[in-house]
Amino acid sequence: HGGSRHGRSSAGGTLSFRGKAAGGMTSKRELATGRGAAAGKAGAGDKKQHSPWAQLLTPAILFDDLPSKKEDDTKLMGLAESVHPVRRAELAFNLLGRSEEFVLYYEQNRFGDMKIGGTNKDSKKGGDDDKSEVRSSLSSLTGDDVSVGTDRVFFAKSLPHLCASVVGFSAVEAALELGNFDDEDDDDKNRSSNNGSSSGSGGASGNKNQTSASRFRESSARYERSLVTELGHLLRGRAIGASLAELARSSCLISAFRSALKIVHPSSSTRRSDKELLAMDLDIVMTALKVAQDEQLKVTKKIAAEDKKEPVVVSRMDQVLPTKSKKKQALDAIPEEEVPGYPFGLNVLRQKSVASADPHARPTRSSMKDQYYTFSKSVPEVLRSIHARGITCAAFALSQEELGQMFSGKKGSGSACYVLDCVEECTKVAAIGMHDGTAILEEGSVDKAVQTMANIAALQQSLPRLFGTIMRGMCHSGMIRMDQIEDTFHYAESMLKGADKHCDSEVGKMYSLVYEICRGKIDNHINFALDNFQWVSKGQRDVANPYCEGLIQYLRQVFSHLGPMDEGSRFGLHFSCCGHVAERMVKLLTDSVAEYQANPEDYGISPIARIDAYGLKNLALDVREFEYFADATGVPQLSECFSELKCLVTAMLDRDLPRLLQREHAAERRKKYPVLSMEKVGNILEKYVGMGLGDKLMGTSNKRSEILMMEKKEVQQLLRIVRSQDS
């Protein structure tokens, strides 16, 4: 348990790491590429059958409908049939006594090249000879122009055909050597039989045969070397535009090609230089890593763009999470068995129910009867694509090692560390692609931004099991030796930390984006609702102002979309939004109009210019509604965001304010209003509209004496007291 179970056979059973094949145990590269022995013989029109382990490891999007290494080996090793027509022709010429003519005829038809389309880089521009001849031995051998065709066609069809053709040619040359080269034992017999003979015709004939055989071998080796050299140049040129799967497939094919050449024609002098002639560029390893990153970023952006950004519903069968037994609880390192379709522990990432005491709160997904995961459908697809590229890089690294590639000197297995680098880089670009996959900021959609943030967080939480699966697969395929395991696991831990840190950075960026969207909406609502708002009301309201109800309704809507977030981020966004509302209200109440007129771009709307006692009383009612809403959300101490605004408004309505502002009562003032700023009190007094004698008498007759109501003279006197202490 604990590994990926996706692609597991419905018939049950365990996954075998030793597939049964006609030749015995499955090879190391077959395990790495996921190509084991066939599970059964396929019918005439059926698709290829693979073992359960192959179905588990092989990504269909990368290797579907492509021949396996075993099939390539079978094709290359079965080319001996092409030898028979040439041997029959040689025997026919020998019967006619014209064996020398056969060699010349064969050289003229096989040891040549042909003109193909192309230009010579050394030719001068502007002349009639710009298009000079480009000669190709491979084109002469196969009859096809190797310079035409796209990179996709070359790697899918042309490269296997060219490799098979060169192996077939080498098989023919090896067979012809048997009839043209004299064995040493035969030479000794010929010398002993000719010791007593005085005729010189035998020696002349022997020298003639020896010269012919030497010339045949030299021309054969020269032509074979030209074929292998051209194939290497052609492969290096095409590798620039290759995909990661094509690089892995071509590396495996070239490795099989070299093995086939050693088997069918081991005596050729070209065998000593096959490695150098066929070697890919020294930076092919970094090229493959860059290609993997580019492909992963492109695929992730496409998946994110097609995602509706809606959390996945938990099926009825999976609503009850599996519980660990007492024996398993003692071994916390053993992960739970995965749910098919949700790889690397995604099935445990579920939204927690949020209790809200707000009677007007919208029902959230987390509070409904159905259960939801924290991620949308794009996360499993992105994880599978990262896993698939990790497997492909492992196959590429294995074949490159067989071709003589030396990986960077890191502690542990060099090829395994290279695969871990690939997984880390793919994870980084996947997090970026999930962030950039949609135009969230332009739309201003909070629910989509929150879901994107939750998707990146889900990717981050699945990384330990992803890296564990990759490491387990590399150990089973033999990429890591016993003495390299500890160092390789240390390197895997460092790569996991790097990927986790980058995902954490992207989650932080998405959190900032969500807050930026919410802050923009709050500012727009405040600017629209409070522009030219009359704070001198001359009367007390029984309910909160309309702008307050609108803000609370928007905050209620925003908070209903935060279900996919973790608790810490969700609480943090609650505090950020409520704190921003309180900050804007404090600035509107205390900032100077002169400062706004000097720098209007720093303010959305002009601060309050005039306010009276009833305006402050109505504002106190708004603050109380904000606090009720904050307490109803269930977030502890959320109402403390409005403490400064409440302190200012309550102090301005306190009938003891004139006494508390006196210097000798400063200690009592600080005890009753600990966060009260004298500077801000002075700014409010500058905007305070004092009452006339008639208004004051009317207020007394209406029994409104529970709030502080000051005349203009009293306001000016208090302002002088405040400014004297403020300075």
Side-chain angles (χ1 to χ4, degrees):
H1 301 296
S4 178
R5 299 175 59 249
H6 308 287
R8 186 172 181 176
S9 175
S10 58
T14 59
L15 295 174
S16 174
F17 297 104
R18 295 184 179 181
K20 294 293 185 180
M25 189 181 298
T26 308
S27 67
K28 182 170 68 173
R29 190 195 292 109
E30 287 174 344
L31 285 175
T33 56
R35 293 292 183 181
K41 292 184 178 180
D46 296 341
K47 294 184 177 179
K48 304 170 190 174
Q49 300 294 324
H50 302 285
S51 67
W53 182 240
Q55 294 176 8
L56 173 68
L57 283 183
T58 305
I61 59 173
L62 298 179
F63 289 104
D64 193 18
D65 297 332
L66 287 175
S68 65
K69 178 182 180 296
K70 182 178 179 182
E71 294 167 339
D72 288 337
D73 291 339
T74 303
K75 183 188 301 182
L76 294 175
M77 298 305 178
L79 289 172
E81 294 295 330
S82 62
V83 176
H84 299 311
V86 181
R87 295 295 290 169
R88 295 192 188 100
E90 182 190 15
L91 292 175
F93 273 82
N94 288 337
L95 289 175
L96 296 175
R98 305 171 63 181
S99 58
E100 181 66 21
E101 293 184 15
F102 169 76
V103 175
L104 294 175
Y105 178 78
Y106 182 78
E107 290 180 358
Q108 292 174 0
N109 287 273
R110 301 292 279 180
F111 300 160
D113 52 18
M114 63 178 290
K115 178 182 177 181
I116 61 175
T119 59
N120 192 345
K121 296 181 180 179
D122 297 333
S123 62
K124 297 180 179 179
K125 296 183 179 180
D128 297 334
D129 298 333
D130 285 349
K131 293 183 179 180
S132 59
E133 291 186 356
V134 177
R135 313 297 296 185
S136 172
S137 299
L138 284 174
S139 297
S140 175
L141 179 67
T142 61
D144 298 327
D145 190 346
V146 297
S147 64
V148 300
T150 62
D151 293 336
R152 307 288 85 79
V153 174
F154 172 79
F155 285 103
K157 297 182 178 180
S158 301
L159 183 59
H161 174 64
L162 293 175
C163 291
S165 300
V166 175
V167 172
F169 167 78
S170 297
V172 171
E173 299 305 304
L176 291 178
E177 282 188 4
L178 298 177
N180 289 279
F181 296 151
D182 296 329
D183 189 62
E184 292 181 356
D185 296 336
D186 295 336
D187 292 342
D188 295 339
K189 292 180 181 179
N190 290 335
R191 293 192 192 99
S192 61
S193 62
N194 292 331
N195 283 335
S197 177
S198 60
S199 173
S201 60
S205 176
N207 292 333
K208 182 178 180 181
N209 292 335
Q210 187 175 5
T211 304
S212 175
S214 177
R215 183 168 55 84
F216 183 87
R217 171 176 287 184
E218 291 176 359
S219 58
S220 174
R222 188 185 314 113
Y223 186 62
E224 186 183 18
R225 184 181 180 87
S226 66
L227 291 174
V228 176
T229 303
E230 184 179 353
L231 183 61
H233 284 304
L234 191 61
L235 179 60
R236 285 188 288 271
R238 293 282 190 172
I240 299 176
S243 64
L244 180 62
E246 290 169 346
L247 287 174
R249 283 287 306 148
S250 61
S251 296
C252 294
L253 181 61
I254 293 301
S255 178
F257 173 65
R258 284 187 59 200
S259 301
L261 288 179
K262 292 178 181 179
I263 294 174
V264 300
H265 198 359
S267 62
S268 174
S269 61
T270 312
R271 297 291 79 80
R272 294 191 297 268
S273 56
D274 280 346
K275 179 179 177 181
E276 291 76 15
L277 296 178
L278 291 173
M280 304 178 101
D281 294 334
L282 296 178
D283 58 347
I284 189 65
V285 174
M286 300 308 300
T287 301
L289 191 62
K290 182 65 169 60
V291 170
Q293 294 180 45
D294 295 340
E295 290 182 359
Q296 186 63 53
L297 180 61
K298 183 178 180 181
V299 169
T300 305
K301 285 186 176 181
K302 181 181 179 182
I303 294 174
E306 295 174 354
D307 190 10
K308 295 182 179 179
K309 301 295 186 300
E310 296 178 354
V312 180
V313 182
V314 181
S315 63
R316 298 293 182 184
M317 297 177 58
D318 301 329
Q319 283 192 0
V320 179
L321 282 171
T323 57
K324 286 187 177 183
S325 62
K326 294 182 178 179
K327 187 175 182 180
K328 284 188 176 181
Q329 287 177 356
L331 301 174
D332 294 333
I334 301 178
E336 288 291 346
E337 186 175 354
E338 293 183 356
V339 175
Y342 303 102
F344 311 114
L346 289 178
N347 62 303
V348 300
L349 304 179
R350 305 184 182 185
Q351 297 187 24
K352 297 181 180 179
S353 59
V354 179
S356 177
D358 188 359
H360 304 288
R362 295 178 56 187
T364 61
R365 288 191 175 97
S366 57
S367 62
M368 294 180 181
K369 186 176 181 181
D370 292 334
Q371 293 186 18
Y372 289 85
Y373 291 108
T374 60
F375 54 87
S376 61
K377 69 178 185 66
S378 63
V379 178
E381 298 178 12
V382 172
L383 277 170
R384 292 191 191 100
S385 65
I386 297 174
H387 188 204
R389 276 163 185 81
I391 296 171
T392 310
C393 276
F396 174 75
L398 274 174
S399 59
Q400 284 295 308
E401 272 192 331
E402 293 184 3
L403 290 173
Q405 181 69 256
M406 298 298 295
F407 291 89
S408 59
K410 298 176 180 178
K411 290 185 178 181
S413 173
S415 58
C417 292
Y418 169 75
V419 176
L420 293 172
D421 289 338
C422 177
V423 176
E424 183 204 16
E425 295 298 330
C426 287
T427 303
K428 289 181 179 180
V429 298
I432 296 174
M434 295 171 75
H435 184 181
D436 300 338
T438 52
I440 301 172
L441 185 58
E442 289 76 2
E443 298 178 4
S445 178
V446 176
D447 55 342
K448 290 185 178 181
V450 169
Q451 189 60 61
T452 302
M453 175 183 171
N455 289 346
I456 300 176
L459 173 65
Q460 180 184 11
Q461 296 183 42
S462 64
L463 290 181
R465 297 185 75 163
L466 171 63
F467 274 80
T469 303
I470 294 293
M471 283 295 297
R472 187 164 57 251
M474 290 191 295
C475 290
H476 284 308
S477 62
M479 291 183 68
I480 308 174
R481 299 196 309 267
M482 183 64 67
D483 59 332
Q484 299 173 335
I485 288 181
E486 185 175 355
D487 291 335
T488 307
F489 267 96
H490 283 307
Y491 188 80
E493 287 289 340
S494 64
M495 293 296 100
L496 174 60
K497 289 180 181 178
D500 183 84
K501 184 177 180 181
H502 192 84
C503 288
D504 194 61
S505 174
E506 293 299 323
V507 170
K509 292 180 181 178
M510 284 306 306
Y511 180 87
S512 301
L513 178 60
V514 173
Y515 174 61
E516 184 179 349
I517 295 174
C518 296
R519 185 180 61 184
K521 292 283 188 179
I522 292 172
D523 289 339
N524 292 336
H525 184 87
I526 291 177
N527 295 340
F528 177 78
L530 295 183
D531 190 20
N532 297 323
F533 189 84
Q534 296 297 325
W535 290 98
V536 181
S537 58
K538 301 295 184 181
Q540 182 176 342
R541 293 175 58 89
D542 296 328
V543 294
N545 284 306
Y547 83 91
C548 177
E549 293 294 337
L551 273 176
I552 291 176
Q553 183 63 29
Y554 174 72
L555 292 176
R556 185 179 290 125
Q557 179 183 1
V558 169
F559 295 162
S560 66
H561 294 307
L562 305 184
M565 279 186 173
D566 61 279
E567 187 176 74
S569 300
R570 185 169 65 250
F571 285 7
L573 194 62
H574 277 73
F575 278 96
S576 298
C577 292
C578 292
H580 182 65
V581 172
E583 181 185 3
R584 282 298 309 271
M585 296 305 299
V586 170
K587 290 177 68 67
L588 288 175
L589 180 62
T590 61
D591 282 0
S592 172
V593 178
E595 294 180 0
Y596 165 76
Q597 294 175 350
N599 300 301
E601 63 276 0
D602 296 337
Y603 298 83
I605 57 175
S606 174
I608 297 174
R610 301 171 71 246
I611 189 170
D612 62 352
Y614 292 114
L616 289 169
K617 182 62 177 178
N618 294 336
L619 182 57
L621 184 60
D622 298 341
V623 174
R624 187 176 64 182
E625 287 295 322
F626 282 129
E627 289 182 326
Y628 286 162
F629 166 73
D631 292 333
T633 59
V635 179
Q637 300 179 350
L638 182 61
S639 59
E640 296 295 328
C641 295
F642 302 95
S643 59
E644 183 183 8
L645 180 61
K646 179 181 180 181
C647 181
L648 286 171
V649 176
T650 305
M652 293 301 299
L653 296 174
D654 191 354
R655 293 179 60 85
D656 292 336
L657 181 65
R659 181 179 62 83
L660 293 175
L661 292 179
Q662 301 293 330
R663 190 181 299 272
E664 56 271 17
H665 298 288
E668 183 181 355
R669 182 184 69 244
R670 284 193 291 268
K671 182 178 180 180
K672 188 174 183 178
Y673 301 108
V675 295
L676 186 64
S677 170
M678 295 296 290
E679 179 183 2
K680 293 181 178 180
V681 170
N683 293 341
I684 297 175
L685 288 174
E686 290 180 351
K687 306 175 182 183
Y688 194 92
V689 177
M691 301 178 61
L693 181 59
D695 295 333
K696 189 172 183 179
L697 293 175
M698 185 179 295
T700 304
S701 62
N702 292 335
K703 298 181 181 180
R704 300 292 187 181
S705 58
E706 68 273 9
I707 63 174
L708 176 64
M709 304 181 70
M710 297 180 291
E711 298 181 4
K712 297 178 181 179
K713 294 181 179 180
E714 296 173 336
V715 172
Q716 295 298 324
Q717 183 180 0
L718 284 180
L719 182 59
R720 286 193 297 269
I721 295 174
V722 170
R723 292 308 184 195
S724 63
Q725 298 183 43
D726 186 30
S727 59

